[in-house]
Amino acid sequence: RVPGVGWEGLLGQYVRAPERVLFPLADGVSYGEGALIEPAAVAWHTTRTAAVGPGQRVAILGAGAIGALVAAVCRLQHVAELLVSDVRAQRLDVARRLSGCATVDAAREDVAAAGRAVSGPDGFDAVVVASDHRGCLDEALALCRPRGTVVLLPMFGAPVRADLNPAVLGEIVVRGATVYTPGDFRAAADAVNRRTLDVRPLLDGEPRPLAQTQAAFEELASGPESIKILIDPAR
């Protein structure tokens, strides 16, 4: 169970939570950083699902909050090559600041061709799909090495069509990843508290008061450059 699914959500001034799911923030770590522990836990779970480890080559399609955090956690796992693609330059800039990754502007470049320039001809050991754009699975399979792994994160709004022959011929494993385990959350909380995972590049502007929640959702839905908008229920 998570907030909003199984027990009450967090868009209120007060909320009851089981003591076992509460984690303290270290001195000097802001509430904004604390709010990003949850998506960081999703990223942590994703890298475990993809079996990311030292020396590997990883590509991430999509540089929203989750995609950028997956890149940052991959960097903590000492990957050798790390590539992130997106159609928004500002999001790619945030991903670079979080992880020092190579980036591809998918609005201007062929992602598969640019990716092979980073990974070499064999492709990436793991490809994480953090965007539901049309053709995402085709891109992922084109980037993945034989017997590599593709991990799917989004909840897709429509059926996805793809040429699955590369998966068959390359014996590629396609897996889904959702939410996280308590262990993933503990690991993410520890990394944020120690700032070995520095999430501050994702914090954009001052927190909004609770009364502006609906406007914030509408702003995100309209497709602006913002990655995350913070709501402070105490304001």
Side-chain angles (χ1 to χ4, degrees):
R1 298 186 301 165
V2 297
V5 181
W7 53 290
E8 60 206 74
L10 300 179
L11 292 179
Q13 190 171 4
Y14 298 98
V15 63
R16 293 180 301 173
E19 185 177 3
R20 62 183 171 78
V21 304
L22 301 180
F23 291 80
L25 292 180
D27 291 343
V29 174
S30 69
Y31 284 123
E33 292 171 85
L36 290 171
I37 291 174
E38 195 273 348
V42 174
W44 212 279
H45 183 70
T46 300
T47 60
R48 288 202 309 109
T49 302
V52 170
Q56 290 189 332
R57 298 156 297 180
V58 181
I60 300 155
L61 306 181
I66 299 296
L69 285 167
V70 170
V73 175
C74 283
R75 189 58 76 194
L76 294 181
Q77 305 298 336
H78 306 291
V79 299
E81 301 291 346
L82 183 60
L83 177 76
V84 178
S85 71
D86 203 280
V87 295
R88 296 179 182 174
Q90 183 176 340
R91 292 190 173 193
L92 292 173
D93 179 62
V94 171
R96 283 191 295 268
R97 290 163 59 197
L98 277 168
S99 64
C101 60
T103 58
V104 178
D105 185 342
R108 300 174 179 272
E109 302 177 68
D110 180 276
V111 174
R116 290 305 173 99
V118 174
S119 69
D122 290 338
F124 291 89
D125 300 291
V127 181
V128 175
V129 177
S131 168
D132 64 352
H133 73 276
R134 191 173 184 175
C136 61
L137 188 51
D138 282 318
E139 281 185 0
L141 293 174
L143 288 167
C144 193
R145 70 164 172 81
R147 296 188 177 179
T149 302
V150 171
V151 176
L152 306 178
L153 283 179
M155 293 297 292
F156 294 94
V160 175
R161 294 182 179 275
D163 177 5
L164 295 179
N165 286 330
V168 176
L169 296 173
E171 297 187 344
I172 293 171
V173 175
V174 179
R175 302 188 61 180
T178 185
V179 198
Y180 40 77
T181 67
D184 296 322
F185 202 99
R186 282 192 296 271
D190 181 69
V192 171
N193 273 324
R194 294 174 181 270
R195 287 205 176 120
T196 53
L197 177 58
D198 189 351
V199 297
R200 286 175 291 181
L202 280 168
L203 299 175
D204 182 18
E206 291 297 316
R208 314 277 182 90
L210 188 62
Q212 293 183 13
T213 300
Q214 181 62 32
F217 278 122
E218 291 173 359
E219 182 178 329
L220 285 174
S222 68
E225 291 296 329
S226 297
I227 299 178
K228 283 288 187 184
I229 296 176
L230 292 171
I231 300 295
D232 181 354
R235 293 181 61 189

